[in-house]
């Protein structure tokens, strides 16, 4: 029976007088074909649409002439819904309607409502009058906005106006929910946490709010059909991991162990377990990949010894210390199915303890234990007989998000495990065009890789220094220490050394990012003034003549992390911080967030980077390439080859919230185990990556990169900042700008010992850059990279002219139209710098001079130089510099600085200068 429901006034909706859009689902579902569950064109009255024939003071509804006419007269939210038999995880809704009139000040419209258990309601609404939408839910008066926008009702161009037909769709599969308006996707989110209750929808239909006149033309609901032939991605399940224990495998944690409590050993094609302690449970587990959809664990084990009420079986580990158990007890011939979380135990079957089923028949029997998830059902088999079944919403809400699985023993036990397999739906792995190119991973030499765990490499942008973390080395200051190796003679990595304090202390230490100039590094955690650990977070250390400075806190507003681990990456321009952390709005275990540097050097509150980058599981170890556009990170939620894979995505705009769909970097970089910690130099032809090896440790590898997963080309600019008069090196800051937009792009620092600097400039722009130091005037340089197609290095020293009487300073970044005196936009940064200098030096007077080459007549060149220098003087005056402080003269071709016989010489002669008077 369908029903009509009226929601009384709520502050959320009365403020905006919203009308809810129809929730919809795409016609092609991820995990199989779909069948039409219900469809109507409203060709005749349908009593199953509750209150579809109503006429009272608040509402008029009538099905007639192929439409459902709606005239709402009251201010409340009204539903017209239909009972549905929802039986699939994957479903879709679609409706077409037209809102003809919105009365008075109302901004209402029309949309979908889905009603579920315990008064939980979901809404997807548009507002034709002002072109906005709303996606949210309510439960017992509590409203939650789901679309994640800062604006409660964000605008979208897909929403049409009044008297225009609108088509709304909602697609839900096991992993995600997608909202579409008039054929355009307007929002996508992870299903977990936000839409878990979709499986239990009992009524769906139309919601309206606020006075209006609308007509609904059609309503369709589809769901995955049990009778339909499953898609290739649904069945049969593919092998994600399998082992027959033919060889030692350190990825099985604690599989090589012998102490007073446990003996475990992989030998002779089996995992042998002997538990000696009768009062504890022990695990032998492995990290495993998970994918949305169906899956199956199975293992074969034999118990040759077990005390009374002691058993063994499968354990599946999920987030937040939640563990699921599927166990057999051969001494009593029974089974137990349940969970434990932080000391709280639950039995899932009807009896409170273990139960008998006739399948478990004692010791020395082989037991094939199988746990399968099929749709919303979870089934437990012993020797192919189903002994227990449940659904994911009653007991197993976290089971689809497992991260580890293996064998558990409880009490004094002797067991032999012959095999272990994970089967699951295989979502196609997104690869770039050349990702299957054969690559050879080269293990770095023993000067870097040791018998200890060597991981988290960060290579300097010039490729000459490698920082990494080493654990448990006797030479360490703390638990995990920073180590460093330098490239010798451009070929071989030197012996890694521990830099000691202040970078390393008694805690877990790591370099997270190195700036392009090699003179600053972002470090894990915060430090006290004596160098001791001062809590979670991150710090910045600067290179000094004597070594590295004591790290100082990098402050991020409202920073917190609910996970036990964290990684961060600093953009090459030092202006953006990417964080792999867990916050209240995280959809998996950890997500990627972005934070921006403000003028006071603090960073803004982290903002989640969206569901294109972030999956339903975990994203970690971000690395921002030298182009500032390409990002690499590891994930166990995007489709991959192992328990964690490396992915690449490119930034689509300056919001840092819009990214290309991540692509897997391929099977020759990722493998069947755990891969993360990706780093590469700015030239981008190779990368460093960490893999967990069969010898039992993390090791660092070098691997060439296919062209499609390399970053965008950049120029590495190197040089020395010098005193223009004495030519001695200076310590200074370096700034670089986009000459077209006049925006500062980034900053760098010189080496405090030799005055050297490095900075990276990506393709597609025209740049100005200069050094700055108290008592000197910066001489700017210019690079046009608008046509750059490949990596290159440029040597360019920067000069700082002392502010002294008689000093002549060249303005390199003043540009004119050809043979004209019109200043081009690119000149603004250079001239504004001169304006700022003159305002700071308020008593200073200067003489501006313009010069040309010898192409053309002397008279024409003199005239052109006079007109050009007049344009410069006029610009300065308009910016507030008094005329009395500015002398100007045009010199034509009379004062060359180089021969006019070459283009390089003629370019040097075409210049604007000023002299300090």
């Amino acid at each position: 029976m369908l029903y009509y429901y009226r929601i009384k006034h709520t502050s959320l909706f009365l403020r905006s007088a919203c009308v809810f859009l129809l929730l919809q689902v795409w016609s092609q579902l991820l995990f199989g074909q779909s069948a039409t569950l219900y469809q109507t064109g409203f060709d005749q009255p349908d009593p199953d649409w509750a209150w579809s024939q109503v006429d009272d003071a608040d509402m008029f509804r009538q099905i007639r002439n192929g439409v459902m006419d709606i005239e709402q007269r009251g201010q409340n939210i009204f539903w017209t819904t239909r009972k549905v038999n929802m039986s699939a995880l994957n479903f879709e809704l679609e409706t077409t309607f037209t809102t003809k009139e919105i009365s008075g000040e109302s901004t209402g419209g029309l949309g979908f409502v889905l009603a579920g258990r315990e008064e939980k309601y979901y809404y997807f609404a548009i507002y034709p009058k002002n072109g906005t939408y709303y996606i949210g839910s309510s439960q017992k008066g509590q409203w939650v906005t789901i679309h994640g926008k800062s604006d409660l009702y964000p605008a979208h161009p897909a929403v049409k106006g009044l008297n225009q037909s609108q088509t709304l769709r909602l697609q839900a599969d096991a992993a995600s929910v997608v909202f579409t308006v008039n054929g355009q996707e307007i929002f996508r989110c992870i299903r977990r946490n936000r839409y878990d209750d979709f499986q239990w929808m009992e009524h769906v239909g139309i919601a309206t709010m606020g006075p209006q006149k609308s007509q609904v033309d059609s309503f369709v609901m589809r769901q995955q059909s049990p009778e339909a032939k499953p898609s290739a991605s649904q069945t049969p399940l593919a092998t994600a991991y399998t082992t027959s224990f033919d060889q030692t495998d350190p990825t099985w944690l604690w599989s090589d162990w012998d102490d007073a409590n446990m003996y475990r050993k992989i030998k002779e094609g089996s995992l042998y377990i002997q538990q000696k302690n009768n009062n504890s449970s022990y695990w032998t587990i492995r990290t495993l990949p998970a994918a949305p959809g169906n899956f199956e664990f199975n293992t074969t084990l034999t118990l040759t010894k077990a005390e009374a009420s002691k058993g063994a079986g499968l354990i599946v580990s999920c987030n937040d210390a939640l563990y699921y158990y599927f166990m057999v007890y051969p001494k009593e011939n029974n089974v137990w199915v349940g969970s434990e979380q932080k000391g709280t135990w639950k039995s899932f079957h009807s009896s409170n303890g273990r139960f008998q089923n006739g399948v478990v028949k004692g010791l020395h029997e082989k037991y094939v234990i199988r746990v399968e998830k099929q749709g919303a059902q979870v089934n437990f088999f012993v020797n192919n007989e189903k002994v227990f079944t449940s659904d994911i919403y009653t007991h197993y809400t976290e089971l689809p998000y497992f991260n580890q699985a293996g064998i558990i023993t409880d009490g004094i036990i002797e067991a032999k495990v012959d095999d272990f397999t994970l089967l699951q739906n295989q979502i196609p792995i997104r690869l770039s065009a050349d990702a299957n190119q054969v690559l050879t991973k080269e293990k770095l030499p023993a000067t870097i890789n040791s018998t200890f765990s060597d991981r988290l490499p960060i290579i300097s942008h010039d490729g000459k220094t490698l920082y990494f973390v080493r654990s448990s080395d006797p030479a360490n200051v703390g638990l995990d220490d920073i180590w460093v190796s330098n490239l010798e003679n451009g070929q071989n990595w030197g012996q890694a050394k521990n830099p000691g304090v202040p970078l390393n202390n008694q805690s877990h230490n790591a370099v997270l990012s190195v700036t392009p100039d090699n003179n600053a590094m972002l470090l894990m955690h915060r430090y006290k003034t004596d160098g001791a650990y001062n809590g979670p977070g991150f710090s910045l250390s600067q290179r000094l003549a004597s070594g590295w400075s004591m790290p100082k806190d990098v402050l991020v507003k409202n920073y917190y992390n609910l996970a036990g681990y964290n990684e961060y990456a600093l953009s090459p321009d030092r202006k953006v911080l990417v964080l792999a952390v867990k916050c209240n709005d995280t959809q998996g275990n950890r997500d990627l967030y972005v934070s921006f540097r403000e003028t006071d050097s603090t960073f803004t509150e982290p903002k989640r980077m969206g569901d294109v980058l972030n999956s339903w599981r975990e994203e970690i170890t971000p690395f921002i390439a030298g182009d500032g556009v390409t990002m690499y990170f590891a994930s166990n939620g995007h489709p991959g080859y192992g328990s964690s894979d490396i992915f690449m995505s490119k930034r689509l705009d300056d919001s840092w919230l819009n990214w290309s769909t991540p692509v897997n970097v391929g099977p020759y970089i990722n493998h069947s185990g755990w891969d993360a910690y990706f780093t590469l130099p700015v030239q981008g032809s190779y990368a460093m990556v960490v893999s967990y090896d069969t010898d039992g440790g993390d090791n660092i590898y070098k691997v060439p990169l296919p062209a499609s997963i390399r970053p965008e080309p950049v120029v590495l600019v190197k040089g020395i900042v010098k005193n223009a008069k004495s030519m001695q090196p200076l310590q200074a800051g370096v700034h670089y700008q986009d000459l077209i937009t006049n925006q500062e792009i980034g900053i760098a620092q010189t080496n405090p010992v030799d005055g050297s600097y490095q900075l990276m400039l990506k393709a597609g722009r025209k740049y100005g850059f200069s050094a700055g130091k108290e008592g000197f005037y910066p001489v700017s340089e210019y690079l046009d990279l608008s046509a750059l197609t490949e990596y290159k290095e440029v040597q360019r020293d920067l000069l700082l002219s002392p502010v002294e009487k008689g000093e002549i300073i060249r303005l390199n970044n003043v540009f004119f139209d050809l043979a004209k005196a019109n200043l081009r936009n690119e000149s603004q940064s250079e001239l504004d710098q001169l304006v700022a200098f003159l305002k700071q030096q308020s008593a200073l007077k200067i003489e501006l001079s313009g010069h040309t080459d010898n192409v053309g007549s002397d008279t024409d060149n003199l005239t052109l130089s006079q007109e050009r220098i007049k344009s410069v003087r006029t610009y300065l005056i308009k910016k507030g510099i008094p005329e009395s402080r500015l002398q100007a003269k045009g010199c034509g071709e009379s004062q060359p600085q180089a021969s006019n016989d070459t283009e390089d010489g003629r370019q040097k002669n075409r210049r604007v200068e000023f002299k300090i008077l």
Side-chain angles (χ1 to χ4, degrees), residues 13 16 18-21 107 110 123-136 145-159 168 179-181 184-188:
F13 288 95
S16 60
C18 70
V19 178
F20 296 98
L21 274 184
T107 56
L110 182 150
Y123 303 96
F124 173 28
I126 61 170
Y127 311 79
K129 189 174 181 179
N130 54 16
T132 60
Y133 68 93
Y134 176 81
I135 300 171
T145 300
I146 293 175
H147 54 63
K149 309 294 183 182
S150 57
D151 187 353
L152 188 60
Y153 306 102
H156 197 283
V159 180
L168 310 180
F179 303 87
T180 306
V181 176
Q184 293 188 44
E185 179 181 319
I186 66 168
F187 183 65
R188 174 191 294 262

Side-chain angles (χ1 to χ4, degrees), residues 803-823:
V803 180
E804 298 175 354
K805 185 176 181 179
E807 188 73 18
I808 297 175
I809 299 171
R810 178 172 178 142
L811 302 176
N812 285 319
N813 292 343
V814 176
F815 305 97
F816 301 91
D817 290 337
L818 181 64
K820 295 181 180 179
N822 300 331
L823 283 167

Side-chain angles (χ1 to χ4, degrees), residues 128 194 213 240 298 323 354 396 427 444 507 515 598 606 647 763 771 774 879 881 888:
R194 296 172 177 177
K213 291 181 180 179
N298 65 71
Y323 305 99
R354 298 185 294 272
Y396 291 105
I427 301 175
L444 294 190
S507 186
T515 56
E598 298 186 313
F647 296 83
E774 184 91 16
K879 289 288 185 174
I881 306 302

Side-chain angles (χ1 to χ4, degrees), residues 147-193:
H147 54 63
K149 309 294 183 182
S150 57
D151 187 353
L152 188 60
Y153 306 102
H156 197 283
V159 180
K160 299 177 184 178
L162 296 175
N163 295 302
Q164 298 187 68
S165 178
Q166 318 256 13
T167 299
L168 310 180
R169 293 178 181 171
L170 178 148
Q171 174 191 7
D173 60 38
S176 59
V177 181
V178 181
F179 303 87
T180 306
V181 176
N182 297 319
Q184 293 188 44
E185 179 181 319
I186 66 168
F187 183 65
R188 174 191 294 262
C189 70
I190 297 169
R191 179 165 177 164
R192 184 188 185 194
N193 297 335

Side-chain angles (χ1 to χ4, degrees), residues 316-445:
V316 181
S317 171
C318 300
N319 292 330
D320 200 23
L322 174 61
Y323 305 99
Y324 294 106
Y325 300 94
F326 309 88
M327 302 181 67
V328 295
Y329 290 79
K331 207 68 177 283
E332 291 78 26
N333 299 334
N334 55 32
V335 300
W336 184 73
V337 183
S339 70
E340 180 269 327
Q341 186 174 31
K342 300 177 181 178
T344 300
W345 293 83
K346 295 181 180 179
S347 295
F348 291 163
H349 40 76
S350 56
S351 60
N352 191 35
R354 298 185 294 272
F355 62 96
Q356 292 185 341
N357 52 34
V359 178
V360 181
K361 297 179 179 179
L363 296 173
H364 306 288
E365 298 282 338
K366 278 194 174 183
Y367 296 105
V368 178
I369 300 175
R370 174 160 55 99
V371 177
E372 68 173 19
K373 175 189 171 294
Q374 289 287 340
Q377 296 298 310
V378 178
N379 302 310
F380 177 30
F381 297 82
V382 177
N383 293 338
N384 291 322
E385 291 195 32
K386 185 187 294 186
V387 298
F388 178 73
T389 187
S390 182
D391 60 75
I392 63 172
Y393 296 104
T394 301
H395 296 303
Y396 291 105
T397 56
E398 292 299 312
L399 184 62
Y401 313 108
F402 65 85
N403 47 55
Q404 293 178 317
I407 306 299
I408 180 163
T409 58
D410 174 29
I412 294 178
I413 293 284
E414 289 184 7
K416 180 169 72 79
V417 185
D418 295 324
D419 53 57
F420 190 97
T421 299
L422 167 63
L423 306 171
Q424 62 185 195
N425 288 148
Q426 295 294 288
I427 301 175
I429 298 174
R430 293 183 293 268
L431 296 170
S432 59
D434 54 0
N436 282 313
Q437 175 183 334
V438 177
L439 307 172
T440 301
K441 287 168 75 171
E442 174 191 349
K443 189 174 181 179
L444 294 190

Side-chain angles (χ1 to χ4, degrees), residues 463-643:
K464 295 181 178 180
T465 306
L466 181 66
Y467 303 91
F468 63 96
V469 171
R470 177 174 293 171
S471 298
S472 304
D473 192 305
N476 277 6
V477 176
L479 301 171
D480 299 310
D481 268 20
I482 298 164
W483 287 66
V484 59
S485 176
N486 294 306
L487 196 64
E488 298 176 346
N489 302 318
Q491 294 182 335
N492 301 315
W493 288 105
Q495 186 64 49
K497 297 180 180 179
N498 188 317
V501 297
L503 300 184
N504 290 317
N505 57 31
Q506 296 296 323
S507 186
H508 301 278
N509 307 287
V511 174
L512 302 172
S513 289
V514 178
T515 56
D517 56 21
N518 292 335
N519 292 320
M521 61 172 63
L522 187 71
L523 303 172
M524 183 180 290
H525 69 68
R526 296 181 296 119
Y527 293 71
K528 294 181 180 179
T529 55
D530 62 358
Y533 175 74
N534 195 33
F538 24 88
S539 306
L540 198 69
S541 180
Q542 304 282 352
R543 189 188 296 274
L544 306 175
S546 58
W548 290 100
S549 70
M550 183 63 66
K552 293 185 177 181
D553 291 357
V554 175
L555 300 178
V556 177
K557 294 180 178 178
N558 299 324
Y559 169 81
Y560 64 96
N561 180 22
L562 301 177
Y565 298 93
N566 47 252
E567 297 90 27
Y568 314 93
L570 188 65
S571 63
D573 60 10
R574 300 193 189 189
K575 293 185 175 182
V576 181
L577 190 65
V578 173
L579 310 88
V581 294
K582 183 173 185 178
C583 299
N584 291 328
D585 61 343
T586 298
Q587 294 303 304
N589 189 35
R590 278 193 287 159
D591 282 349
L592 297 177
Y593 289 76
V594 65
S595 180
F596 301 95
R597 194 185 71 188
E598 298 186 313
T599 54
D600 60 357
S601 295
T602 62
F603 282 79
T604 60
E605 180 176 355
K607 188 171 186 179
R608 189 172 179 272
M609 297 174 76
D611 292 336
V612 173
L613 285 180
N614 292 309
S615 72
W616 60 292
R617 293 199 71 188
E618 183 175 55
E619 280 63 52
I620 59 174
T621 66
F623 177 83
I624 305 170
D627 61 3
V629 171
T630 308
M631 184 167 67
Y632 304 87
F633 62 95
S635 173
N636 60 9
H638 294 289
Y641 298 94
S643 57

